[in-house]
């Protein structure tokens, strides 16, 4: 299957973001930052949460709400920031911070869940709580450092590579979201035993790989590389 691409001049030009468009992006960033304290999030899914989850949610709602009103969340700006994919423009700090934490929400949970599944499939025992307790913070620090030094896509100091970087980000979003959703359904539906642990691991990896392949081919929405051309909006 050949790689599907888009040309910048073929995309619809948008010079302003509507209120509905801006409001629709706020819940995305609420979720991204709400997930940031990983062990607290693990407790929410494992035990139903605590007062700490509510306090953290209130703080996230407050600060992301202020940022959204000020146009300092990606997608919540009054107008699109990126209009030309080959233009060497500074990547604003708020975009770099937001996308760094988005990468953490995607990669950290996906990798730790993969590790927990692999250990359970091999040993027959679950150590997911311990894996989160000891693994989340170091991995989070690594991802934040990668963001700080501009290594991650969409977190670089310049927006010049946005036409390609966005596809890596959205490809990861599709892959991880699909795999985590399927894993949650399997966790609820299947009995708890060693055989089903192996099944969960196999299905989880298959969904990750399958969605990644579709994204790599540009089949999924927002995963096609946008080749240089005329002025165009970056979603």
């Amino acid at each position: 299957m050949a790689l599907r691409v888009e040309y910048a001049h073929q995309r619809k030009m948008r010079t302003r973001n509507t209120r509905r468009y801006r409001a629709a992006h706020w819940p995305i960033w609420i979720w991204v930052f709400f997930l940031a304290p990983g062990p607290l999030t693990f407790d929410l899914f494992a035990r139903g949460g605590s007062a700490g989850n509510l306090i953290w949610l209130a703080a996230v709602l407050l600060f992301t709400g202020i940022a959204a009103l000020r146009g300092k969340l990606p997608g919540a700006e009054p107008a699109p920031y990126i209009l030309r994919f080959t233009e060497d423009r500074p990547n604003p700090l708020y975009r770099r911070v937001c996308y760094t934490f988005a990468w953490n929400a995607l990669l950290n949970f996906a990798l730790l869940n993969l590790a927990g599944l692999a250990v359970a499939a091999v040993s027959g025992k679950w150590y997911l709580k311990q894996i989160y307790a000891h693994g989340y913070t170091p991995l989070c620090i690594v991802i934040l450092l990668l963001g700080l030094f501009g290594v991650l896509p969409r977190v670089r100091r310049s927006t010049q590579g946005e036409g390609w970087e966005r596809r890596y980000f959205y490809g990861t979003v599709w892959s991880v979201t699909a795999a985590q959703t399927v894993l949650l359904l399997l966790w609820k539906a299947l009995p708890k035993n060693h055989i089903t642990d192996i099944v969960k691991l196999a299905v989880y990896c298959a969904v990750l790989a399958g969605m990644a392949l579709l994204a790599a081919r540009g089949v999924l929405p927002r995963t096609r590389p946008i080749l240089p051309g005329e002025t165009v909006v970056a979603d």
Side-chain angles (χ1 to χ4, degrees):
M1 184 187 299
L3 173 62
R4 302 183 182 184
V5 301
E6 294 183 32
Y7 292 95
H9 66 277
Q10 296 175 339
R11 292 169 57 87
K12 183 179 179 180
M13 180 66 178
R14 188 179 73 247
T15 58
R16 301 289 296 177
N17 290 329
T18 65
R19 291 183 179 179
R20 180 179 298 179
Y21 181 91
R22 297 175 64 188
H25 281 75
W26 183 33
I28 297 173
W29 297 110
I30 292 174
W31 186 244
V32 164
F33 287 103
F34 179 68
L35 293 177
L40 191 64
T41 304
F42 177 85
D43 183 69
L44 172 64
F45 286 98
R47 301 181 181 180
S50 62
N53 295 103
L54 293 176
I55 294 172
W56 177 244
L57 176 60
V60 169
L61 287 171
L62 175 63
F63 288 105
T64 58
I66 293 173
L69 289 173
R70 297 181 61 189
K72 298 300 182 181
L73 288 179
E77 305 100 332
Y81 179 75
I82 300 173
L83 296 176
R84 191 181 297 275
F85 284 95
T86 57
E87 187 177 8
D88 186 9
R89 297 189 67 189
N91 199 7
L93 179 61
Y94 73 87
R95 283 177 56 91
R96 294 166 59 192
V97 170
C98 287
Y99 281 115
T100 296
F101 277 92
W103 278 112
N104 177 67
L106 291 167
L107 298 179
N108 212 328
F109 289 94
L111 292 174
L112 293 182
N113 285 344
L114 178 60
L117 286 167
V119 170
V122 172
S123 68
K125 297 181 180 180
W126 280 93
Y127 296 98
L128 196 57
K129 181 178 180 180
Q130 294 87 335
I131 289 173
Y132 268 86
H134 297 287
Y136 181 87
T137 300
L139 189 53
C140 179
I141 291 173
V142 170
I143 294 171
L144 294 183
L145 287 174
L146 291 175
L148 177 64
F149 290 106
V151 176
L152 299 171
R154 296 200 127 182
V155 188
R156 296 187 170 95
R157 299 185 184 278
S158 170
T159 63
Q160 191 171 17
E162 177 68 14
W164 283 86
E165 292 177 26
R166 71 193 291 272
R167 74 185 301 259
Y168 303 139
F169 177 77
Y170 285 112
T172 306
V173 170
W174 280 110
S175 301
V176 171
T177 302
Q180 299 278 49
T181 301
V182 170
L183 178 60
L184 179 61
L185 294 175
L186 293 178
W187 184 267
K188 297 292 185 180
L190 297 180
K192 307 297 188 294
N193 58 57
H194 191 209
I195 298 299
T196 58
D197 291 342
I198 297 174
V199 171
K200 292 169 190 172
L201 174 62
V203 173
Y204 185 74
C205 292
V207 174
L208 279 175
M211 296 298 286
L213 179 60
L214 291 176
R217 295 298 184 182
V219 176
L220 301 175
R222 299 190 177 188
T223 60
R224 298 180 183 181
I226 300 176
L227 303 184
E230 300 174 9
T231 302
V232 67
V233 169
D235 296 320

